Amino acid sequence: MPAPLETCISDLDCASSSGSDLSGFLTDEEDCARLQQAASASGPPVPARRGAPNISRASEVPGAQDDEQERRRRRGRTRVRSEALLHSLRRSRRVKANDRERNRMHNLNAALDALRSVLPSFPDDTKLTKIETLRFAYNYIWALAETLRLADQGLPAGSARERLLPPQCVPCLPGPPSPASDAESWGSGAAAAASPLSDPSSPAASEDFTYSPSEPAFSFPSLPKDLLHTTPCFIPYH
DNA sequence: TAGGCCATCTGGTCCT
DNA sequence: AGGACCAGATGGCCTA
């Protein structure tokens, strides 16, 4: 629903005074003034100024009917012009917002690409979808944490590694996501049998796994906190 | 051809 | 007030 004319007019007021992007289509202050004039013309009737001629009775004055008609014609033209200006104002803002939104999504995709680049990948170079990337990253972190935990328990590095990294993976992936069940079934394949990512205790192994930041599905008891803080971040910030 | 994934547009809401 | 964020809608592309 279009914004009330008064709102848009106040927008114009603000924009022209702050020197924002409106200059692209509001060429000068005169335009803005005309627009306000048009708004008052098309808006509710304002009380006549003290001392101003009473135009409501203009028809009683000889020869005033032509003037009245001319005023109406002008009002009509100005109104059309003001609506066109308001439309272009809204359009311009929308275009700018679209541009920002596009940029925002591009940044988000760049971050996802960066995340993909640090995750183990398939030899056939299958690109993970967005949801797959997030879920796999979640599991991958879990697996790394599990590695540390096992190492802390004194298991030989080799056995921990074997448990975490199936030999057929280069470097490691628990198995391709089943097309039928999306990434939710990651780790359900035979190739993933040895992977902790198929472990029932693995965070994404449950059927209805949903990520809840406030209620972590698991903790990292043996993950040094300073390690979390010194881990390099590969996600570029634009 | 249906379904999945994605990019983009859009309007609403929240935040600074 | 303006920008960031979000979710819904829409259309294009690809694949089984």
Side-chain angles (χ1 to χ4, degrees):
Chain A
M1 191 174 68
L5 191 59
E6 293 77 9
T7 306
C8 296
I9 295 300
S10 66
D11 285 347
L12 286 173
D13 276 338
C14 172
S16 64
S17 63
S18 63
S20 70
D21 57 290
L22 289 173
S23 56
F25 54 90
L26 268 189
T27 54
D28 52 27
E29 291 178 355
E30 196 184 354
D31 257 351
C32 196
R34 285 204 207 100
L35 193 53
Q36 292 192 59
Q37 202 177 0
S40 61
S42 60
V46 292
R49 276 187 296 120
R50 214 185 297 178
N54 188 347
I55 58 172
S56 66
R57 307 189 66 172
S59 58
E60 294 175 8
V61 180
Q65 279 188 340
D66 289 347
D67 288 349
E68 180 66 15
Q69 283 183 348
E70 177 60 23
R71 270 193 287 271
R72 280 183 186 155
R73 272 198 295 274
R74 281 184 188 166
R75 271 201 291 267
R77 280 197 297 271
T78 319
R79 186 177 185 173
V80 167
R81 178 161 165 69
S82 70
E83 282 172 0
L85 280 169
L86 289 176
H87 180 264
S88 82
L89 165 66
R90 280 194 290 268
R91 187 67 212 155
S92 166
R93 284 185 180 155
R94 212 7 42 220
V95 166
K96 272 188 69 182
N98 290 348
D99 203 42
R100 284 195 304 270
E101 176 66 10
R102 214 178 303 123
N103 253 328
R104 198 179 68 86
M105 295 311 294
H106 286 170
N107 287 341
L108 183 61
N109 288 338
L112 270 171
D113 281 340
L115 181 57
R116 282 188 192 100
S117 72
V118 297
L119 289 174
S121 58
F122 279 122
D124 63 0
D125 211 20
T126 306
K127 185 183 178 184
L128 299 175
T129 66
K130 292 179 176 181
I131 188 68
E132 286 168 353
T133 301
L134 292 176
R135 284 179 173 145
F136 182 47
Y138 191 85
N139 282 6
Y140 188 54
I141 292 170
W142 179 88
L144 293 176
E146 187 73 355
T147 305
L148 291 176
R149 192 180 63 80
L150 292 175
D152 277 357
Q153 286 177 353
L155 272 94
S159 68
R161 177 181 167 78
E162 276 171 25
R163 182 166 175 237
L164 286 165
L165 307 181
Q168 66 271 31
C169 294
V170 189
C172 172
L173 201 66
S178 162
S181 57
D182 195 6
E184 286 174 356
S185 65
W186 271 48
S188 63
S195 168
L197 298 176
S198 64
D199 188 328
S201 63
S202 172
S206 66
E207 280 279 308
D208 297 313
F209 168 74
T210 51
Y211 173 63
S212 170
S214 58
E215 295 177 4
F218 61 98
S219 59
F220 300 94
S222 61
L223 197 60
K225 282 188 176 175
D226 56 340
L227 179 65
L228 288 172
H229 293 297
T230 56
T231 300
C233 177
F234 297 99
I235 303 176
Y237 180 78
H238 298 282

